């Protein structure tokens, strides 16, 4: 099934200058970028994006990190895009991520883990709409 998912190349990965390397992985895996932009999230934009985690102990630190510099946000489209992107990303904790995954290659720790990917069709719908109006998506 052709799906769309939201990906974020987080500020740690942008600082490491691996934007191109990560986008190449998406394209090689058959995930087509149909929307893309660089944004520097304010803390309140990060809080809105991660509202589902607001009761977690790491919420404040996570939102400080996500607003610490520019990120690249993308909509990826392709067959089984949500699950495929989660597989490309690897486990949340880079120390537990399989070799060959983005987080294994570029993550630093469980917080600074290089990329985000939607985890279900419901979250993908919310997350894509949070950053992109329909007219900015070219699928
Ligand atoms: P994922 O990004 O793999 O879907 P979660 O949705 O559980 O993971 O968490 C969202 C983000 O919060 C993670 O990508 C990571 O940046 C951060 N995070 C998750 N767990 C922790 C933790 N225990 N300590 C610090 N930051 C965390
Ligand atoms: Mg998540």
């Amino acid at each position: 099934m052709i799906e769309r998912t939201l990906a974020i190349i987080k500020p740690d990965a942008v600082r490491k200058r691996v934007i191109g390397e990560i986008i190449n992985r998406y394209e090689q895996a058959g995930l087509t970028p149909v929307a893309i932009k660089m944004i520097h999230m304010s803390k309140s934009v990060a809080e809105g994006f991660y509202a589902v985690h607001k009761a977690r102990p790491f919420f404040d630190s996570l939102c400080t990190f996500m607003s610490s510099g520019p990120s690249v946000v993308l909509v990826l489209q392709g067959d089984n895009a949500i699950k495929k992107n989660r597989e490309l990303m690897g486990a949340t904790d880079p120390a537990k991520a399989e070799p060959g995954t983005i987080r294994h290659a570029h993550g630093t720790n469980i917080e600074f883990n290089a990329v985000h990917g939607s985890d279900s069709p419901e979250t993908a719908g919310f997350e894509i709409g949070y950053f992109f109006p329909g007219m900015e998506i070219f699928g």
Side-chain angles (χ1 to χ4, degrees), residues 50 53 86 116-117 119:
Y50 278 119
H53 291 313
R86 296 291 305 192
H116 168 85
D119 65 6

Side-chain angles (χ1 to χ4, degrees), residues 65-76:
F65 162 52
M66 292 300 288
S67 57
S68 68
S71 306
V72 176
V73 291
L74 311 92
V75 179
L76 302 175

